[in-house]
Amino acid sequence: MRRSGRLALAAAALGWALCPVAPAGAWHDETHLAVARAAGYAKWYHAAGADMAKLKAGDREAHNHYVNQPWGTPVTPALVLSQATRYDTVDRDGHLHGAIVAALRNYAAARAQGKYGEYHLAFAAHYLGDLSMPLHNVPYDDFNQKNHAAMDGVVNHGVLEGWREIRVYPLAVGSEEDLAREVARVANLSIALGKRLRAQDRLPTRAEAYEQLSHSASLLRAVLVWTGAPRLAQTERVPAAAR
């Protein structure tokens, strides 16, 4: 290869490496587990599995965990559904919102074929947890880069022991259209919080973080009911007084 060609390839590789894209982790493991436990997911202990899969699947899994979109971009149900076709693809802008829909489609398809579909549901549970992390719904700019790791773990310490503090509110999902609407709603709430945090150059308070987790847990609970997925016994869920 000529020297000029080698230099061009090297420059392109460097540009790709320096191109900012959101990291794939969102909330640390115990936070994901606490959300799933609060939602009443029978196999809540699988909810961190999607992050474990990234160690082997790399880019194919990583881009399911975030959306790198310009500030001010509203998330609509149509946008959520359009992202579903990009599931498990290498997509620099990410497709978290559609990954939730696609994972649940895979879950339904596996069950219809008499196959074990629980792992698809576990991926969906993880993505629904990611949905409430503000910095996974906004551009990976300077503020995001500076604060991302700290925000992932902002309430991780003690959250699994205190999962009952995650409020689960009534929510109904009866169709994919309902799901897309609710995903868009939570995404826009996450974006709004992300804007406030960026404007004030700070991390979320504990109360703000738990409010975000409540959105994820409530939507996951609604998904479990809609899909008829196994749930924890009533005595193992959040007490009514805590809802």
Side-chain angles (χ1 to χ4, degrees), residues 155-175:
V155 292
N156 197 66
H157 179 69
V159 71
L160 187 53
E161 294 79 6
W163 61 270
R164 290 178 177 82
E165 295 183 53
I166 300 174
R167 182 176 64 93
V168 179
Y169 53 81
L171 198 63
V173 170
S175 67

Side-chain angles (χ1 to χ4, degrees), residues 21 42 44 90 96 118 121 179 197 207-208 210 213 234-235:
V21 294
W44 55 270
V90 177
L96 164 63
E118 285 298 320
L121 182 59
L179 173 64
L197 298 176
E208 286 171 329
Y210 268 80
L213 299 182
Q234 187 66 42
T235 55

Side-chain angles (χ1 to χ4, degrees), residues 87-110:
Y87 187 47
D88 282 347
T89 63
V90 177
D91 175 3
R92 300 290 285 181
D93 291 329
H95 41 261
L96 164 63
H97 309 141
I100 296 167
V101 176
L104 289 171
R105 286 176 180 173
N106 288 348
Y107 175 60

Side-chain angles (χ1 to χ4, degrees), residues 75-82 97 100-101 173 175-187 219 226:
V75 179
T76 65
L79 179 61
V80 172
L81 293 173
S82 72
H97 309 141
I100 296 167
V101 176
V173 170
S175 67
E176 194 170 274
E177 290 71 25
D178 290 345
L179 173 64
R181 183 188 68 249
E182 292 299 331
V183 168
R185 179 183 67 86
V186 177
L219 184 48
W226 171 47

Side-chain angles (χ1 to χ4, degrees), residues 35-47 117-123 125-126 220-221 224 229-232 237:
V35 166
R37 183 76 186 271
Y41 178 28
K43 298 190 177 180
W44 55 270
Y45 43 80
H46 284 329
E118 285 298 320
Y119 296 138
H120 296 297
L121 182 59
F123 275 95
H126 185 96
L220 176 54
R221 168 75 66 83
L224 295 173
R231 288 177 286 157
L232 293 170
R237 300 181 201 165

